[in-house]
Amino acid sequence: MNLTQPYNPQLFNFTKIKEEEIMFDFCSDGDIPNGEPEEIVNKKVKRQRNIMVINVSPLGYGHCLFIPDVDAGIPQMITEELLRQSLEMLLLSSHRGFRVGFNSLCAFASVNHQHIHVYYTDYELYIEYATVKEVCHNCYELLDTPTRGFAFQLYGQGISSLVKTVFRVASHLQVKNIAHNLFLTRAPVFGAERSSKDRTVRVILWPRKSVYGIRSDDIFNPAVTEMSGHLIIKAAEAYKTITEEKVDQLLAEVSMDEDDFNNLKDSVKDLLSTDKVMEQSVS
């Protein structure tokens, strides 16, 4: 399956949901000219609708879906605008447990219509303080985790710079048809102690093996929440008997092989290093 397959309006998409499932429209003050009420503005101009909708199969408290520009029919791909909106949404929330996640096609996205998952959890996740190692400027790799991945942080740079870097790597995965999951959370600054008050936004991007066909109901599906360490165990018996070793095994099974990840890491390093040289040349 191609990760960049086009949006098909004939299939299920988020323009087909019931009106009562829409919670609100996510927009900036600049989208409402002269402070007029939204219903009046919508009659005057066709405005982009960025909607927050309830999730009919929630994983936990406050689990919703955010669909940017719902009427544009954007396929389930990471774009710069999606990354910017995800970061801004996370920063708007004062709740430490507010998380944002994205599943690509072949990585447990069930609808080919651009959307992200947003939800709350009061539990600290290992991925928030997992050790990282620098790959190149503003890009790191995860260490001591069952799934290999890249890590980025807002600390030391602006939103635009972080968005550009993450998008370059995500776009590289999309071009290479590599399935992936993306996760945004608050976390300590890289290298700081777990209990440090120096906190920032941490972005994790996992390239992974593709998953095809019907989802398994056995134990859990390794999508973005599971990759982050928040496990949704589907069967009571599995919940009672599952072990940390089994979790590591299941997550490792969808991780990129070491050689493939090292090759990908080298290509990402070349990509971002070239960008850095070009920026310096322009300046």
Side-chain angles (χ1 to χ4, degrees):
M1 179 185 288
N2 193 326
L3 263 62
T4 57
Q5 61 181 284
Y7 168 84
N8 185 345
Q10 302 305 314
L11 300 177
F12 174 79
N13 62 77
F14 296 110
T15 65
K16 299 177 184 291
I17 64 174
K18 299 175 182 178
E19 190 68 26
E20 54 264 33
E21 293 179 19
I22 301 175
M23 297 171 58
F24 56 84
D25 192 345
F26 188 83
C27 60
S28 66
D29 291 341
D31 292 333
I32 308 296
N34 303 320
E36 293 182 297
E38 184 175 347
E39 59 271 18
I40 295 177
V41 173
N42 287 338
K43 291 179 181 179
K44 293 181 178 180
V45 296
K46 183 174 177 59
R47 186 171 57 80
Q48 175 176 313
R49 293 195 303 146
N50 306 305
I51 59 173
M52 187 75 74
V53 306
I54 63 170
N55 192 327
V56 295
S57 301
L59 300 180
Y61 176 73
H63 185 190
C64 302
L65 299 177
F66 173 68
I67 303 96
D69 201 0
V70 61
D71 302 304
I74 305 170
Q76 181 65 344
M77 296 173 59
I78 293 176
T79 60
E80 288 190 72
E81 181 65 8
L82 180 70
L83 288 169
R84 182 187 65 79
Q85 291 171 320
S86 299
L87 274 166
E88 290 180 347
M89 191 181 304
L90 185 68
L91 292 170
L92 280 172
S93 175
S94 60
H95 196 295
R96 185 191 176 282
F98 185 71
R99 273 62 182 250
V100 178
F102 172 93
N103 297 315
S104 79
L105 297 181
C106 303
F108 289 103
S110 57
V111 181
N112 187 24
H113 190 180
Q114 191 183 61
H115 63 283
I116 59 174
H117 295 261
V118 298
Y119 69 101
Y120 299 89
T121 175
D122 290 326
Y123 298 100
E124 182 182 41
L125 301 173
Y126 175 69
I127 203 69
E128 295 173 0
Y129 57 89
T131 306
V132 299
K133 177 183 177 182
E134 187 173 21
V135 173
C136 59
H137 183 67
N138 287 338
C139 178
Y140 298 75
E141 65 174 306
L142 294 170
L143 301 178
D144 304 323
T145 58
T147 45
R148 299 177 179 89
F150 297 103
F152 313 84
Q153 65 176 353
L154 183 58
Y155 179 78
Q157 60 183 319
I159 290 178
S160 296
S161 177
L162 176 58
V163 164
K164 181 178 178 180
T165 301
V166 176
F167 176 70
R168 285 290 278 162
V169 180
S171 179
H172 189 59
L173 299 182
Q174 288 167 170
V175 168
K176 287 183 168 291
N177 208 42
I178 298 173
H180 48 279
N181 304 96
L182 179 80
F183 187 68
L184 291 79
T185 185
R186 287 182 169 85
V189 171
F190 291 160
E193 294 294 327
R194 177 177 173 181
S195 59
S196 174
K197 294 183 179 180
D198 293 330
R199 305 188 70 80
T200 186
V201 174
R202 180 176 286 204
V203 181
I204 309 296
L205 180 62
W206 291 279
R208 55 172 292 161
K209 296 175 182 175
S210 293
V211 176
Y212 304 100
I214 299 174
R215 300 184 185 194
S216 169
D217 287 330
D218 185 24
I219 306 182
F220 64 83
N221 294 320
V224 64
T225 55
E226 290 77 13
M227 301 282 268
S228 73
H230 180 190
L231 305 177
I232 312 302
I233 310 298
K234 297 186 174 183
E237 186 60 33
Y239 179 82
K240 295 175 184 177
T241 60
I242 195 168
T243 63
E244 184 175 349
E245 290 73 23
K246 183 63 174 179
V247 171
D248 283 351
Q249 175 196 329
L250 293 173
L251 292 176
E253 287 176 359
V254 299
S255 179
M256 283 193 85
D257 295 333
E258 185 175 3
D259 288 344
D260 291 338
F261 183 73
N262 286 335
N263 290 333
L264 176 63
K265 190 167 57 177
D266 288 340
S267 65
V268 166
K269 187 185 300 184
D270 291 341
L271 184 72
L272 296 181
S273 297
T274 300
D275 285 352
K276 187 64 177 176
V277 170
M278 291 181 65
E279 287 179 5
Q280 292 173 342
S281 298
V282 172
S283 60

